[in-house]
């Protein structure tokens, strides 16, 4: 089981980063955190992946007053996704034809859902951004959806102001990722323990690198 969980963790994290790269290359808009990452990356002399890693580390520091404890998956999230997204951006072209962009966006969302199910299913600790959300929920008593919405609207707004890509892909991701993950959970439940450990749907569907 441990080998299976480690495999799911690292395959999931790698696919998550790669799905981010596909979404960037599709050029139709990004999920809220990646809008922020892209906006920041446009103003600093470091790669998109490096921005995601630095953001992850900064968010982890916010765990300290929330008394959140990182796991192997938390630390691995920061490193693996940063490397994977940069490799993906290096490998993939920027698609210009609308059909190719739409197809790439669809593939990116599906890949992201698969990656999320594998990563959470491994049950080895939340990602930095998820831990921030669940920590705030626990410490404030405010509902998951309110905390998640406030966080994502904030990072989306800041990222958009900085030049991050907001578009139809942002909406496709927002409305598509949750149902896709929910459909895949029963399959993951047969092989991985993560959703048995934390089965709350609002927390499961709130995953972000």
């Amino acid at each position: 089981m441990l080998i299976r969980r480690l495999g799911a963790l690292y395959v999931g994290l790698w696919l998550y980063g790669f799905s981010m790269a596909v979404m960037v290359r599709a050029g139709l808009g990004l999920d809220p955190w990646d809008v922020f990452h892209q906006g920041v990356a446009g103003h600093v002399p470091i790669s998109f992946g490096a921005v995601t890693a630095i953001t992850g580390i900064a968010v982890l520091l916010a765990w300290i007053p929330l008394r959140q404890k990182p796991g192997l998956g938390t630390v691995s999230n920061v490193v693996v996704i940063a490397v994977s997204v940069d490799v993906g951006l290096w490998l993939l072209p920027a698609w210009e034809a609308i059909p190719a962009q739409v197809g790439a966006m669809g593939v990116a969302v599906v890949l992201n859902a698969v990656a999320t199910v594998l990563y959470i299913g491994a049950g080895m600790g939340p990602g930095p951004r998820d831990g921030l959300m669940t920590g705030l929920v626990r410490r404030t008593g405010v509902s998951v959806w309110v905390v998640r919405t406030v966080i994502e609207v904030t990072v989306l707004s800041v990222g958009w102001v900085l030049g991050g890509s907001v578009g139809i892909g942002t909406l496709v991701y927002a409305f598509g990722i949750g149902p896709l993950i929910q459909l895949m959970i029963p399959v993951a439940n047969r092989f991985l323990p993560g959703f048995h450990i934390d089965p709350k749907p609002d927390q499961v569907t709130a995953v972000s690198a």
Side-chain angles (χ1 to χ4, degrees):
M1 177 61 80
L2 178 59
I3 293 175
R4 185 186 304 168
R5 291 173 67 191
L6 287 171
L9 172 66
Y10 289 109
V11 170
L13 290 175
W14 188 268
L15 283 178
Y16 199 102
F18 192 79
S19 73
M20 289 164 59
V22 176
M23 208 175 302
V24 171
R25 291 306 189 210
L28 296 178
L30 306 173
D31 69 273
W33 275 104
D34 284 340
V35 172
F36 176 79
H37 298 147
Q38 189 182 55
V40 173
H43 296 271
V44 294
I46 57 176
S47 69
F48 187 99
V51 171
T52 67
I54 292 170
T55 302
I57 293 169
V59 172
L60 277 178
L61 293 176
W63 282 32
I64 296 173
L66 298 175
R67 298 180 182 176
Q68 287 281 93
K69 295 181 179 179
L72 175 63
T74 309
V75 177
S76 298
N77 179 293
V78 174
V79 177
V80 177
I81 289 178
V83 174
S84 176
V85 68
D86 274 350
V87 170
L89 290 172
W90 176 68
L91 288 173
L92 297 170
W95 293 286
E96 297 182 359
I98 294 298
Q101 290 178 307
V102 171
M105 186 67 215
V107 169
V109 175
V110 173
L111 274 180
N112 194 278
V114 172
T116 298
V117 169
L118 288 173
Y119 163 51
I120 296 182
M124 291 187 160
R129 298 153 187 82
D130 296 320
L132 175 64
M133 181 196 70
T134 55
L136 286 170
V137 168
R138 190 180 67 252
R139 297 286 287 179
T140 65
V142 179
S143 67
V144 170
W145 76 267
V146 171
V147 172
R148 177 189 175 187
T149 300
V150 169
I151 291 173
E152 296 202 345
V153 167
T154 300
V155 296
L156 177 66
S157 301
V158 173
W160 179 69
V161 169
L162 292 174
S165 176
V166 178
I168 187 65
T170 307
L171 293 176
V172 170
Y173 184 91
F175 289 101
I177 192 68
L180 282 172
I181 290 172
Q182 202 66 42
L183 285 172
M184 296 176 188
I185 287 175
V187 178
N189 276 339
R190 300 175 191 173
F191 307 102
L192 298 166
F195 292 101
H196 297 294
I197 294 171
D198 187 4
K200 297 178 182 178
D202 285 339
Q203 293 185 12
V204 167
T205 57
V207 169
S208 155

